[in-house]
Amino acid sequence: MFKAFTETTAYQELTQLAKSPYDLTASGALQNNERLSRYICRSSLLDLHYCTERLDDRVLAALQKLADELQLVEQFKMMRRGAYLNNIEGFESETRQVLHTACRDLFGSVPAESSATEEAKNELAKLKKFLEDIDRGIVCNHLGERFDTMVHVGIGGSDLGPRSIYEALQGYRVAGRNVCFIANVDPDDAARVLAGVNLERSLVTIVSKSGTTLETLTNERLVRDALQQQGLDARQHCISVTGAGSPMDNPSDYLQSFLMFDYIGGRFSSTSMVGAVMLGFSIGYDRLTEFLEGASVIDLLAEEVQLQKNLPLLLAMIGIWNRNFLGHETLAVLPYSQSLHRFPAHLQQCDMESNGKSIDRFGRAVPYETGPIIWGEPGTNGQHAFYQLLHQGTTVVPAEFIGFRRAQRGLDLQVEGSTSQQKLVANLLAQVIAMAVGQASDNPNRNFPGNRPSCLLMADRLTPQVMGALLAVYEAKIAFQGFAWNINSFDQEGVQLGKQLATTFLEAMNNRSGSRQSLARDFLTQVLDEV
Ligand code: G6Q
């Protein structure tokens, strides 16, 4: 249906251009041709500065051509309008629509896919009423006291996105409200959280799209048990977010139930009820709406065909230039914002689970590289840890820096002539330039080779709207790259084998015999008996 990545004319052009990529270390390299001011993609909420990537106008033209030949914007439009893009042609696969964008398609006159948006609106209306009932004390504990804590129980896509956004928007929390997260089946995770909360004043949100996830169901039992031990009625405290028709879609077990739908993938579910219930509780319904609006601004922008005006597409194509043509295997995401400290972990899942694939949408092995390894930590902390390798290591690691002109909260102080926010931004800009330009020195130990590509996503402040936009930029970037590589970015078969084997090990641990378990039994004996 769509052209293959390597069969485009742009692919051949880019392969040629990659033989002599733009030299960022040459004299005046960043100031020639008004590069600093021309290589900015502005949008209403975020700007992308890409003057420090190893590309020039010829590469940008070829990347535009590649995007056009592969009909990337066309495919994005099809996705938003409900095409069955979660599919491997000719093989058993999920065969679903991909409609996470419908959850925030609430602000224009006509949604791209109206039935999914209608379902999203119904759930949001339920949530609004539930939040009002909490505010008014209509939903309260057995003593008539208000709930001030939410314990969010879920894992993977039902944890990472919501948790990273909660952390990012802590500055907007409703006074006195707090959210804790339990994800791991490690009993210490639940034990640590339960030791720190007053369950009597807590709502517990069990989040599982499938309603079958071992970790989440186990932790639900642990929390229900803890509630019971305190003489509390679990049904008065537990609410659920689950897929329509899942084993957890059983409203009689819960104080309140919210639904998500099979057309929303777990790692893309932060703007569905998976993230919305916890966010609505912690930052309030109006702020939640602002967050959704920010995401919707980017969804609309992603339909722009001109590469240099379409921020997520540009970010995706720069990533493809670095990955497929310059041959870089990893990508560091480096937010200069402590509030975004869990955001790289979310992107790690969203990107690597989506694009860590080696077959195309027809089940054939792909003859090119797909998703890079994603990792990262906030600056300036990372500078004191792994930046040595970024500047002088043998592996070149492209970076996506994220920064803000102003701090999220008000507290700051001038120390030795500058505020902390100024120090943070100065360090951010210094790193971008240092990686690009490097530094020649006669002392090899002090030589910085430079030509380490990076770009910078810059916004004014980390508001709920900007957070929504940032999330949607990455979701769209990942989708665009998957379309370009002709892979199915929306399934995750690669996580199944380990899950199945874990069941075999559990059976072996409990001494249930069976010939298929012999490898598990032998390995267990070696590992556990030696401990
Ligand atoms: C995400 C994945 C995966 C999933 C978790 C939790 O895209 O599908 O990380 O989110 O396995 O699944 P449940 O929400 O079904 O419990």
Side-chain angles (χ1 to χ4, degrees):
M1 183 168 62
F2 298 103
K3 259 192 195 169
F5 185 57
T6 44
E7 281 160 24
T8 54
T9 53
Y11 182 87
Q12 307 309 327
E13 282 177 38
L14 287 160
T15 306
Q16 286 304 315
L17 290 165
K19 290 181 180 159
S20 54
Y22 191 75
D23 183 3
L24 298 165
T25 66
S27 161
L30 291 185
Q31 281 146 307
N32 289 341
N33 295 321
E34 297 170 333
R35 191 177 168 93
L36 292 177
S37 59
R38 280 199 312 122
Y39 282 8
I40 307 174
C41 176
R42 296 200 188 276
S43 75
S44 57
L45 295 168
L46 285 165
D47 299 333
L48 175 66
H49 296 255
Y50 55 99
C51 57
T52 43
E53 293 288 351
R54 298 198 66 188
L55 47 72
D56 56 16
D57 289 353
R58 289 172 313 158
V59 172
L60 286 167
L63 289 173
Q64 171 82 68
K65 196 163 161 189
L66 185 65
D68 292 345
E69 283 188 83
L70 297 170
Q71 296 178 264
L72 300 186
V73 171
E74 189 54 36
Q75 294 192 59
F76 189 83
K77 285 183 171 174
M78 286 169 57
M79 182 186 87
R80 283 189 69 224
R81 283 155 188 76
Y84 280 74
L85 295 179
N86 177 359
N87 187 28
I88 301 288
E89 201 73 43
F91 295 89
E92 199 185 325
S93 60
E94 291 187 347
T95 315
R96 289 176 185 164
Q97 296 164 290
V98 180
L99 280 171
H100 50 278
T101 48
C103 299
R104 59 255 191 164
D105 197 1
L106 311 164
F107 306 93
S109 46
V110 187
E113 209 285 344
S114 44
S115 64
T117 294
E118 228 19 72
E119 288 182 310
K121 278 184 179 166
N122 289 342
E123 294 308 306
L124 270 172
K126 250 163 57 182
L127 176 61
K128 187 165 189 266
K129 161 94 176 47
F130 183 63
L131 293 171
E132 281 166 4
D133 287 352
I134 295 174
D135 288 345
R136 292 200 195 112
I138 296 170
V139 168
C140 57
N141 73 6
H142 67 293
L143 300 172
E145 295 167 332
R146 282 163 205 245
F147 291 113
D148 59 14
T149 300
M150 182 170 278
V151 180
H152 177 110
V153 182
I155 195 165
S158 295
D159 167 64
L160 287 158
R163 192 193 295 240
S164 68
I165 295 158
Y166 171 73
E167 292 290 333
L169 297 179
Q170 290 235 23
Y172 292 88
R173 261 192 303 151
V174 174
R177 291 232 178 120
N178 191 25
V179 180
C180 310
F181 295 82
I182 303 176
N184 205 324
V185 77
D186 175 354
D188 291 345
D189 195 16
R192 175 187 55 84
V193 170
L194 292 175
V197 297
N198 176 2
L199 279 180
E200 203 161 54
R201 299 284 292 269
S202 300
L203 281 168
V204 181
T205 310
I206 314 297
V207 187
S208 176
K209 176 183 169 184
S210 63
T212 59
T213 303
L214 168 89
E215 290 89 338
T216 304
L217 297 187
T218 306
N219 282 323
E220 176 176 5
R221 291 284 291 275
L222 272 171
V223 177
R224 281 183 185 266
D225 192 58
L227 286 163
Q228 260 164 20
Q229 281 183 28
Q230 294 188 24
L232 299 166
D233 174 5
R235 202 186 167 279
Q236 205 173 0
H237 290 258
C238 291
I239 61 182
S240 69
V241 179
T242 194
S246 93
M248 262 175 64
D249 183 8
N250 190 359
S252 60
D253 287 348
Y254 300 95
L255 171 67
Q256 175 79 46
S257 297
F258 297 97
L259 292 177
M260 67 177 301
F261 303 91
D262 72 353
Y263 48 74
I264 301 172
R267 56 194 172 275
F268 294 96
S269 67
S270 299
T271 51
S272 77
M273 286 299 116
V274 167
V277 173
M278 170 283 300
L279 272 180
F281 179 80
S282 60
I283 62 174
Y285 189 81
D286 291 348
R287 299 283 196 202
L288 167 66
T289 308
E290 290 168 23
F291 165 70
L292 297 176
E293 196 178 5
S296 116
V297 166
I298 298 296
D299 294 342
L300 295 180
L301 183 67
E303 296 199 354
E304 161 66 50
V305 287
Q306 274 189 54
L307 179 66
Q308 281 157 282
K309 290 188 176 165
N310 182 335
L311 194 155
L313 179 62
L314 182 56
L315 195 62
M317 299 314 282
I318 290 172
I320 285 176
W321 171 245
N322 285 330
R323 178 76 177 117
N324 297 98
F325 299 97
L326 301 186
H328 301 308
E329 283 194 315
T330 89
L331 171 68
V333 180
L334 306 170
Y336 273 62
S337 157
Q338 194 56 32
S339 303
L340 287 176
H341 76 114
R342 290 297 293 167
F343 194 52
H346 168 57
L347 296 183
Q348 208 164 43
Q349 177 193 27
C350 206
D351 198 315
M352 290 166 73
E353 203 166 69
S354 299
N355 290 342
K357 310 277 166 69
S358 42
I359 56 157
D360 69 11
R361 287 186 272 191
F362 296 91
R364 302 169 303 205
V366 290
Y368 42 80
E369 303 295 344
T370 60
I373 297 161
I374 308 286
W375 60 285
E377 280 286 322
T380 61
N381 300 8
Q383 292 176 205
H384 300 264
F386 53 81
Y387 277 42
Q388 166 63 39
L389 185 149
L390 298 189
H391 288 288
Q392 290 184 318
T394 52
T395 299
V396 172
V397 180
E400 289 173 1
F401 290 94
I402 303 171
F404 301 94
R405 293 178 200 102
R406 292 192 290 147
Q408 189 185 58
R409 305 173 190 230
L411 181 74
D412 201 349
L413 193 66
Q414 284 242 353
V415 176
E416 296 187 11
S418 59
T419 63
S420 295
Q421 180 64 19
Q422 287 175 322
K423 292 180 177 80
L424 180 70
V425 173
N427 271 278
L428 164 62
L429 301 186
Q431 293 300 330
V432 173
I433 298 300
M435 278 180 67
V437 175
Q439 172 182 275
S441 169
D442 292 339
N443 177 348
N445 199 30
R446 304 234 162 105
N447 190 61
F448 290 72
N451 269 329
R452 302 197 165 214
S454 75
C455 60
L456 168 62
L457 274 164
M458 198 75 192
D460 193 41
R461 267 176 73 219
L462 183 54
T463 60
Q465 224 188 9
V466 167
M467 186 63 233
L470 199 54
L471 177 79
V473 161
Y474 276 97
E475 288 178 353
K477 173 199 169 184
I478 291 162
F480 280 131
Q481 291 190 334
F483 297 150
W485 290 321
N486 199 23
I487 57 179
N488 178 5
S489 300
F490 307 107
D491 68 359
Q492 55 283 318
E493 286 299 322
V495 304
Q496 294 306 333
L497 177 61
K499 266 195 213 171
Q500 284 155 12
L501 280 174
T503 310
T504 308
F505 273 96
L506 276 174
E507 282 168 5
M509 267 179 201
N510 293 321
N511 283 327
R512 284 179 230 146
S513 56
S515 58
R516 285 187 64 236
Q517 293 177 3
S518 63
L519 169 61
R521 256 203 320 269
D522 293 349
F523 192 39
L524 264 179
T525 310
Q526 294 305 318
V527 176
L528 294 189
D529 285 356
E530 305 232 340
V531 171

